[in-house]
C-alpha cells in the first residue's frame, strides 16, 4: 500500500489527536513535530497519549510515521551557544522520537551564516557526530533533508549531502528526506528528467538512504533557490511530475509526506488540500469523494475550456507574471489557485459548495489536465 500522508499537528492529545487528523485526510502515514517547531518548549513525552495513538494508528492501518526536528536547530552555526543548543536539543528530540516508536527524524542540516559552505559542511558533520555518539542507545535515524539553497543553508546539492555523510562516523544512522520543491528549486529537473536526477542521487548518495519524500509543488521556476510550497498541480512542478515521483519504482516503500500550504480567502477558515491531494496521488478520487465530485470536475473543465483557459499555461503564466512584473503583482497579487476560485464564484458555478469544496475540485481539475 502506498504510504502517503501529510504533516499534522501534535496538540493536547499528542499522538492520538495527530492520528485522528491524519485519518480525516485519508492518510496511511503522517509526519509530526513533538512540540512547536519554533521553540524548545516541550510537554513530557509520557503525556502525549502514545498508547492511545498507537491503537488508533493500528485501527486505521497506519504503520510508519515520521518526526520532523524543530527549525531552530542549526548545527552549522559558528556561534558556540547556538551550536550547543542544536546538539543538546536534537539529542532530546531523538529520545522523544524513540519513545514514540518512530525510526526517522527529519532534519534541516543547517546554515553557515557568516562563514562559508566548506565550514558549514564540516560544522554540521561535527555536530552530527556529537549527536549520534550521545544517542547510541536509540535506533532513531537522522534523515537529512535536501534543501532549496535559500540564504546560506547547506544541503542544496547532492554533493553537499554526500560530503556531510562521508564525514560522519556512524553514518549508517543517516538517512535522507528528499523534498520535491527543494530539489526543484535547487536546480534539479524532476519535471523533464526524473530518472536522471535519481541516477545522480544514487551515484553520489545512494537511493537506499532515502527514507522519506516530501511531496510539494513550487511557486518558483527551477533553480530559483526560494523554497515556497504550493498545492500539488498549482505550481511549476505540476501534478504529473509529482505523481511520477510518488509512483517511481526506485522510491517504492518510502513514506510520502505532503507539506503543501493551507488555502482560502480568510486566514481563520483556511484549510489544507491534503485530502484531495492524497486521493489524487493514490488514484482513488471517486472512492474518496464519490461520482458527483467527478461530474463537478468535468463541469469545471467545460467551464474553463469555454474561456480558453489551459490549466498548465494559466498556472505558469500567472507565476511568471507575479515574479517578473512588479507593477502587475502590486495591482493584482492573487496567486493562480485564488484567481481560478474567483472565476468560479463570480460565475456562480457551484453556489452550494463551500470554499474548501470548490478548491478541492480545482485541485482535481488541475491534476486531470493533459
Amino acid at each position: 500500500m502506498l504510504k502517503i500522508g501529510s504533516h499534522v499537528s501534535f496538540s493536547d492529545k499528542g499522538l492520538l489527536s495527530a492520528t485522528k487528523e491524519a485519518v480525516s485526510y485519508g492518510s496511511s502515514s503522517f509526519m509530526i513535530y513533538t512540540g512547536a517547531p519554533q521553540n524548545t518548549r516541550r510537554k513530557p513525552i509520557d503525556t502525549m497519549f502514545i498508547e492511545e495513538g498507537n491503537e488508533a494508528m493500528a485501527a486505521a492501518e497506519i504503520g510508519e510515521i515520521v518526526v520532523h526536528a524543530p527549525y531552530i536547530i542549526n548545527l552549522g552555526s559558528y556561534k558556540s551557544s547556538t551550536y550547543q543548543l542544536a546538539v543538546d536539543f536534537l539529542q532530546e528530540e531523538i529520545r522523544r522520537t524513540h519513545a514514540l516508536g518512530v525510526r526517522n527524524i527529519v532534519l534541516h542540516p543547517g546554515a553557515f551564516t557568516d562563514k562559508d559552505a566548506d565550514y558549514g559542511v564540516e560544522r554540521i558533520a561535527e555536530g552530527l557526530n556529537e549527536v549520534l555518539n550521545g544517542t547510541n542507545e536509540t535506533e532513531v535515524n537522522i534523515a537529512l533533508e535536501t534543501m532549496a539553497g535559500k540564504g546560506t543553508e547547506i544541503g542544496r546539492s547532492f554533493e553537499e549531502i554526500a560530503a556531510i555523510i562521508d564525514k560522519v562516523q556512524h553514518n549508517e544512522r543517516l538517512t535522507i528526506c528528499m523534498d520535491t520543491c527543494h530539489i526543484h528549486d535547487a536546480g534539479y529537473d524532476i519535471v523533464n528528467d526524473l530518472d536522471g536526477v535519481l541516477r545522480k542521487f544514487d551515484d553520489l548518495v545512494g537511493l537506499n538512504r532515502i527514507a522519506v519524500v516530501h511531496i510539494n509543488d513550487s511557486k518558483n521556476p527551477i533553480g530559483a533557490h526560494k523554497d515556497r510550497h504550493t498545492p500539488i498541480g498549482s505550481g511549476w512542478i505540476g501534478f504529473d511530475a509529482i505523481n511520477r515521483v510518488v509512483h517511481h519504482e526506485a522510491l517504492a516503500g518510502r513514506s510520502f509526506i505532503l507539506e503543501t500550504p493551507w488555502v482560502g480567502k480568510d486566514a481563520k477558515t483556511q484549510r489544507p488540500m491534503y485530502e484531495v491531494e492524497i486521493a489524487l496521488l493514490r488514484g482513488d478520487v471517486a472512492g474518496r469523494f464519490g461520482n458527483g465530485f467527478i461530474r463537478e470536475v468535468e463541469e469545471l473543465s467545460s467551464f474553463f475550456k469555454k474561456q480558453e483557459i489551459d490549466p498548465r499555461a494559466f498556472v505558469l503564466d500567472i507565476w511568471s507574471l507575479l515574479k517578473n512584473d512588479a507593477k502587475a503583482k502590486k495591482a493584482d497579487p492573487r496567486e493562480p489557485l485564488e484567481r481560478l476560485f474567483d472565476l468560479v464564484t463570480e460565475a456562480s458555478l457551484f453556489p452550494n459548495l463551500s470554499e474548501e469544496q470548490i478548491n478541492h475540485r480545482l485541485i482535481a481539475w488541475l491534476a486531470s489536465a493533459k
Side-chain angles (χ1 to χ4, degrees):
M1 181 180 182
L2 181 66
K3 292 190 290 188
I4 185 168
S6 65
H7 161 233
V8 297
S9 57
F10 199 65
S11 55
D12 290 344
K13 291 195 175 180
L15 189 59
L16 178 59
S17 59
T19 302
K20 288 181 177 179
E21 182 183 344
V23 169
S24 74
Y25 303 134
S27 303
S28 51
S29 181
F30 59 88
M31 183 177 75
I32 56 175
Y33 298 92
T34 76
Q38 301 88 2
N39 61 54
T40 60
R41 293 191 296 273
R42 292 292 182 270
K43 292 183 177 180
I45 197 68
D46 59 7
T47 68
M48 293 289 97
F49 293 81
I50 296 174
E51 183 178 349
E52 295 87 344
N54 283 327
E55 289 175 358
M57 285 172 57
E61 298 183 343
I62 294 176
E64 183 178 7
I65 65 171
V66 183
V67 168
H68 200 301
Y71 302 134
I72 60 172
I73 291 175
N74 182 14
L75 290 176
S77 178
Y78 67 90
K79 297 179 180 179
S80 58
S81 59
T82 302
Y83 171 83
Q84 197 58 52
L85 170 67
V87 169
D88 295 342
F89 194 26
L90 181 54
Q91 287 178 335
E92 179 59 25
E93 285 293 288
I94 286 174
R95 295 185 183 101
R96 290 168 67 84
T97 300
H98 178 71
L100 289 167
V102 176
R103 286 295 308 275
N104 287 282
I105 180 169
V106 175
L107 175 72
H108 294 181
F112 57 81
T113 59
D114 295 333
K115 298 292 185 176
D116 58 31
D118 288 341
Y119 177 90
V121 168
E122 291 285 348
R123 186 68 155 168
I124 291 165
E126 176 187 354
L128 289 170
N129 276 316
E130 190 171 346
V131 168
L132 292 172
N133 285 331
T135 56
N136 56 15
E137 74 279 9
T138 77
E139 297 179 348
V140 175
N141 300 319
I142 298 175
L144 300 175
E145 186 166 350
T146 57
M147 304 306 292
K150 68 181 186 299
T152 65
E153 64 187 10
I154 293 293
R156 58 200 167 177
S157 70
F158 300 161
E159 287 84 356
E160 284 185 346
I161 294 286
I164 293 170
I165 292 172
D166 286 345
K167 296 176 185 298
V168 174
Q169 182 180 0
H170 295 292
N171 63 23
E172 71 280 359
R173 285 180 59 198
L174 294 181
T175 56
I176 299 296
C177 172
M178 179 175 280
D179 187 301
T180 56
C181 173
H182 292 180
I183 62 174
H184 164 86
D185 278 27
Y188 294 100
D189 192 358
I190 60 172
V191 175
N192 300 301
D193 189 23
L194 175 61
D195 286 343
V197 172
L198 292 178
R199 278 196 301 270
K200 183 170 185 178
F201 186 89
D202 195 29
D203 290 341
L204 292 169
V205 182
L207 287 169
N208 61 306
R209 285 196 186 268
I210 298 177
V212 185
V213 182
H214 286 169
I215 42 176
N216 304 296
D217 214 326
S218 175
K219 294 183 179 183
N220 289 283
I222 185 172
H225 303 293
K226 295 290 187 181
D227 185 16
R228 298 180 66 217
H229 301 183
T230 192
I232 303 301
S234 66
W236 282 89
I237 301 174
F239 175 81
D240 285 349
I242 291 176
N243 196 45
R244 287 194 294 273
V245 170
V246 169
H247 295 282
H248 199 287
E249 61 181 6
L251 300 175
R254 275 64 167 194
S255 288
F256 295 92
I257 304 295
L258 287 153
E259 297 177 306
T260 50
W262 293 25
V263 298
K265 295 281 191 180
D266 186 347
K268 294 181 180 179
T269 59
Q270 284 183 348
R271 292 280 294 163
M273 295 292 99
Y274 299 152
E275 184 178 8
V276 70
E277 290 171 317
I278 289 170
L280 286 163
L281 291 166
R282 191 175 278 144
D284 188 33
V285 174
R288 183 72 185 182
F289 293 96
N291 291 325
F293 182 98
I294 302 298
R295 288 192 295 271
E296 287 162 345
V297 173
E298 291 171 350
E299 286 183 56
L300 272 180
S301 182
S302 298
F303 171 72
F304 287 124
K305 187 174 183 179
K306 289 177 183 177
Q307 299 192 48
E308 299 183 340
I309 293 177
D310 174 83
R312 286 304 293 155
F314 180 88
V315 165
L316 299 186
D317 286 348
I318 296 303
W319 285 127
S320 295
L321 179 70
L322 294 175
K323 182 179 185 296
N324 300 318
D325 192 329
K327 289 185 178 179
K329 182 177 181 179
K330 185 176 181 180
D332 188 355
R334 292 176 303 159
E335 296 181 353
L337 193 58
E338 185 179 0
R339 294 181 187 227
L340 292 169
F341 174 85
D342 287 343
L343 289 172
V344 170
T345 54
E346 287 165 7
S348 297
L349 191 59
F350 302 120
N352 297 320
L353 296 183
S354 68
E355 181 178 17
E356 178 185 358
Q357 290 171 325
I358 292 173
N359 280 323
H360 276 173
R361 286 149 182 80
L362 285 169
I363 292 293
W365 172 69
L366 290 170
S368 64
K370 301 297 180 185

Coordinates of all heavy atoms in Angstrom, one line a residue, residues 37-40 42 68-77 82-94 105-111 124 127-128 131 142:
P37 N 7.6 23.8 16.4 CA 8.9 23.8 15.7 C 9.8 25.0 15.9 O 10.9 25.0 15.5 CB 8.4 23.6 14.2 CG 7.1 24.2 14.2 CD 6.4 23.9 15.5
Q38 N 9.2 26.1 16.4 CA 9.9 27.4 16.5 C 10.6 27.6 17.9 O 11.2 28.6 18.1 CB 9.0 28.6 16.2 CG 8.4 28.5 14.8 CD 7.1 27.8 14.7 OE1 6.6 27.3 15.7 NE2 6.6 27.7 13.5
N39 N 10.3 26.7 18.9 CA 10.9 26.9 20.2 C 11.2 25.6 20.9 O 11.0 24.5 20.3 CB 9.9 27.8 21.1 CG 8.6 27.1 21.3 OD1 8.5 25.9 21.7 ND2 7.5 27.8 21.0
T40 N 11.8 25.7 22.1 CA 12.2 24.5 22.8 C 11.3 24.0 23.9 O 11.5 23.1 24.6 CB 13.6 24.8 23.5 OG1 13.4 25.9 24.4 CG2 14.7 25.2 22.5
R42 N 8.6 21.9 25.5 CA 8.1 20.6 25.3 C 7.3 20.1 26.5 O 7.8 20.2 27.6 CB 9.3 19.7 24.9 CG 10.0 19.9 23.6 CD 9.1 19.6 22.5 NE 9.7 19.8 21.2 CZ 9.7 21.0 20.5 NH1 9.1 22.1 21.0 NH2 10.3 21.1 19.3
H68 N 9.6 15.4 12.5 CA 10.4 16.5 12.0 C 11.1 17.2 13.1 O 10.4 17.6 14.1 CB 9.6 17.4 11.1 CG 10.4 18.2 10.2 ND1 11.4 19.1 10.6 CD2 10.3 18.3 8.8 CE1 11.9 19.7 9.5 NE2 11.3 19.2 8.4
A69 N 12.4 17.4 13.0 CA 13.1 18.2 14.1 C 12.7 19.7 14.0 O 12.3 20.2 12.9 CB 14.6 18.1 13.9
P70 N 12.8 20.4 15.1 CA 12.4 21.9 15.1 C 13.3 22.7 14.1 O 14.5 22.3 13.9 CB 12.6 22.3 16.5 CG 12.6 21.0 17.3 CD 13.1 19.9 16.4
Y71 N 12.8 23.7 13.6 CA 13.5 24.6 12.7 C 14.7 25.4 13.4 O 15.6 25.8 12.7 CB 12.6 25.6 12.0 CG 11.4 25.0 11.3 CD1 10.2 25.5 11.4 CD2 11.6 24.0 10.4 CE1 9.1 25.0 10.7 CE2 10.6 23.4 9.7 CZ 9.3 23.9 9.8 OH 8.3 23.4 9.2
I72 N 14.6 25.5 14.7 CA 15.6 26.3 15.4 C 16.9 25.6 15.5 O 17.9 26.2 16.0 CB 15.0 26.8 16.8 CG1 14.7 25.6 17.6 CG2 13.8 27.7 16.6 CD1 14.4 25.9 19.1
I73 N 17.0 24.4 15.2 CA 18.2 23.6 15.3 C 19.1 24.0 14.1 O 18.7 23.9 13.0 CB 18.0 22.1 15.3 CG1 17.3 21.7 16.6 CG2 19.3 21.3 15.1 CD1 16.9 20.2 16.6
N74 N 20.3 24.5 14.4 CA 21.3 24.9 13.4 C 22.6 24.3 13.8 O 23.4 25.0 14.4 CB 21.3 26.4 13.2 CG 22.3 26.7 12.0 OD1 22.7 25.9 11.3 ND2 22.7 28.0 11.9
L75 N 22.9 23.1 13.3 CA 24.2 22.5 13.5 C 25.4 23.2 12.8 O 26.5 22.9 13.0 CB 24.2 21.0 13.2 CG 23.4 20.1 14.1 CD1 23.4 18.7 13.5 CD2 23.9 20.1 15.5
G76 N 25.0 24.1 11.8 CA 26.0 24.7 11.0 C 26.5 26.0 11.6 O 27.4 26.7 11.1
S77 N 26.0 26.5 12.7 CA 26.4 27.8 13.3 C 27.8 27.8 13.9 O 28.2 26.8 14.6 CB 25.3 28.1 14.4 OG 25.7 29.4 15.0
T82 N 24.7 28.7 20.0 CA 23.7 28.2 19.0 C 24.0 26.8 18.7 O 23.1 25.9 18.6 CB 23.7 29.1 17.7 OG1 23.4 30.4 18.1 CG2 22.6 28.6 16.7
Y83 N 25.2 26.5 18.4 CA 25.6 25.1 18.1 C 25.3 24.1 19.2 O 24.8 23.1 19.0 CB 27.1 25.1 17.8 CG 27.8 23.7 17.6 CD1 27.7 23.1 16.4 CD2 28.4 23.1 18.6 CE1 28.2 21.8 16.2 CE2 29.0 21.9 18.5 CZ 28.9 21.2 17.2 OH 29.5 20.0 17.1
Q84 N 25.7 24.5 20.4 CA 25.5 23.6 21.6 C 24.0 23.4 21.8 O 23.6 22.3 22.2 CB 26.1 24.1 22.8 CG 26.3 23.0 23.9 CD 27.1 21.8 23.4 OE1 28.2 22.0 22.9 NE2 26.5 20.6 23.6
L85 N 23.2 24.4 21.7 CA 21.7 24.3 21.8 C 21.2 23.3 20.7 O 20.4 22.4 21.0 CB 21.0 25.6 21.6 CG 19.5 25.6 21.4 CD1 18.8 25.1 22.7 CD2 18.9 26.9 21.0
A86 N 21.8 23.4 19.5 CA 21.3 22.5 18.4 C 21.7 21.0 18.8 O 20.8 20.1 18.6 CB 22.0 22.9 17.1
V87 N 22.9 20.8 19.3 CA 23.3 19.4 19.7 C 22.4 18.9 20.8 O 21.9 17.8 20.7 CB 24.8 19.4 20.1 CG1 25.2 18.1 20.7 CG2 25.7 19.7 18.9
D88 N 22.3 19.7 21.8 CA 21.6 19.2 23.0 C 20.1 19.0 22.7 O 19.5 17.9 23.1 CB 21.7 20.2 24.2 CG 23.1 20.3 24.7 OD1 23.9 19.4 24.4 OD2 23.4 21.3 25.3
F89 N 19.5 19.9 22.0 CA 18.1 19.8 21.7 C 17.8 18.7 20.7 O 16.8 18.0 20.9 CB 17.6 21.2 21.2 CG 16.1 21.3 21.1 CD1 15.3 20.6 22.0 CD2 15.5 22.2 20.2 CE1 13.9 20.8 22.0 CE2 14.1 22.3 20.2 CZ 13.3 21.6 21.1
L90 N 18.6 18.5 19.7 CA 18.4 17.4 18.8 C 18.6 16.1 19.5 O 17.8 15.1 19.2 CB 19.4 17.5 17.6 CG 19.3 16.4 16.5 CD1 17.9 16.4 16.0 CD2 20.3 16.7 15.4
Q91 N 19.5 15.9 20.4 CA 19.6 14.7 21.2 C 18.3 14.4 21.9 O 17.8 13.3 22.0 CB 20.8 14.8 22.1 CG 22.1 14.7 21.4 CD 23.3 14.8 22.4 OE1 23.2 15.4 23.5 NE2 24.4 14.2 22.0
E92 N 17.7 15.5 22.5 CA 16.5 15.3 23.3 C 15.3 14.9 22.3 O 14.5 14.1 22.6 CB 16.1 16.6 24.0 CG 14.8 16.5 24.8 CD 14.8 15.4 25.9 OE1 15.9 14.9 26.3 OE2 13.7 14.9 26.2
E93 N 15.3 15.5 21.2 CA 14.3 15.2 20.2 C 14.4 13.8 19.7 O 13.4 13.1 19.4 CB 14.3 16.2 19.0 CG 13.8 17.6 19.3 CD 12.3 17.6 19.6 OE1 11.5 17.4 18.6 OE2 11.9 17.8 20.7
I94 N 15.6 13.3 19.6 CA 15.8 11.9 19.1 C 15.3 11.0 20.2 O 14.6 10.0 19.9 CB 17.3 11.7 18.9 CG1 17.7 12.3 17.5 CG2 17.6 10.2 18.8 CD1 19.2 12.3 17.2
I105 N 13.9 10.9 12.1 CA 13.6 12.3 12.4 C 14.2 13.1 11.3 O 15.4 13.1 11.1 CB 14.1 12.7 13.8 CG1 13.8 14.1 14.1 CG2 15.6 12.4 14.0 CD1 14.0 14.6 15.6
V106 N 13.4 13.9 10.6 CA 13.9 14.7 9.5 C 14.5 16.0 10.1 O 14.0 16.6 11.0 CB 12.7 15.1 8.6 CG1 13.1 16.1 7.5 CG2 12.1 13.9 8.0
L107 N 15.7 16.3 9.5 CA 16.5 17.5 10.0 C 16.9 18.3 8.8 O 17.5 17.8 7.9 CB 17.7 17.0 10.7 CG 18.7 18.0 11.2 CD1 18.1 18.9 12.3 CD2 20.0 17.4 11.6
H108 N 16.7 19.6 8.9 CA 17.3 20.6 8.0 C 18.8 20.6 8.5 O 19.1 21.0 9.6 CB 16.7 22.0 8.1 CG 15.3 22.0 7.6 ND1 14.6 23.2 7.6 CD2 14.5 21.1 7.1 CE1 13.4 23.0 7.1 NE2 13.3 21.7 6.8
P109 N 19.7 20.3 7.6 CA 21.1 20.2 8.0 C 21.7 21.4 8.8 O 22.4 21.2 9.8 CB 21.9 19.9 6.7 CG 20.9 19.3 5.8 CD 19.6 19.9 6.2
G110 N 21.4 22.6 8.3 CA 21.9 23.8 9.0 C 22.4 24.8 8.0 O 22.4 24.6 6.8
A111 N 22.8 26.0 8.5 CA 23.2 27.1 7.7 C 24.5 27.6 8.2 O 24.8 27.7 9.4 CB 22.2 28.2 7.7
I124 N 28.5 20.9 10.5 CA 27.3 20.0 10.6 C 27.7 18.6 10.8 O 27.1 17.9 11.7 CB 26.5 20.1 9.3 CG1 25.8 21.5 9.2 CG2 25.4 19.0 9.2 CD1 25.3 21.9 7.8
G127 N 28.7 18.3 14.4 CA 27.5 18.2 15.2 C 26.8 16.9 15.2 O 26.4 16.3 16.2
L128 N 26.7 16.3 14.0 CA 26.1 15.0 13.8 C 26.8 13.9 14.6 O 26.2 13.0 15.2 CB 25.9 14.7 12.3 CG 24.9 15.5 11.6 CD1 25.0 15.3 10.1 CD2 23.4 15.2 12.1
V131 N 26.0 14.4 18.2 CA 24.6 14.0 18.5 C 24.5 12.4 18.4 O 23.9 11.8 19.3 CB 23.6 14.6 17.4 CG1 22.3 14.0 17.5 CG2 23.5 16.1 17.6
I142 N 18.7 9.9 11.7 CA 18.5 11.3 11.3 C 18.4 11.4 9.8 O 19.3 11.0 9.1 CB 19.7 12.2 11.8 CG1 19.8 12.1 13.3 CG2 19.6 13.6 11.3 CD1 21.0 12.9 13.8

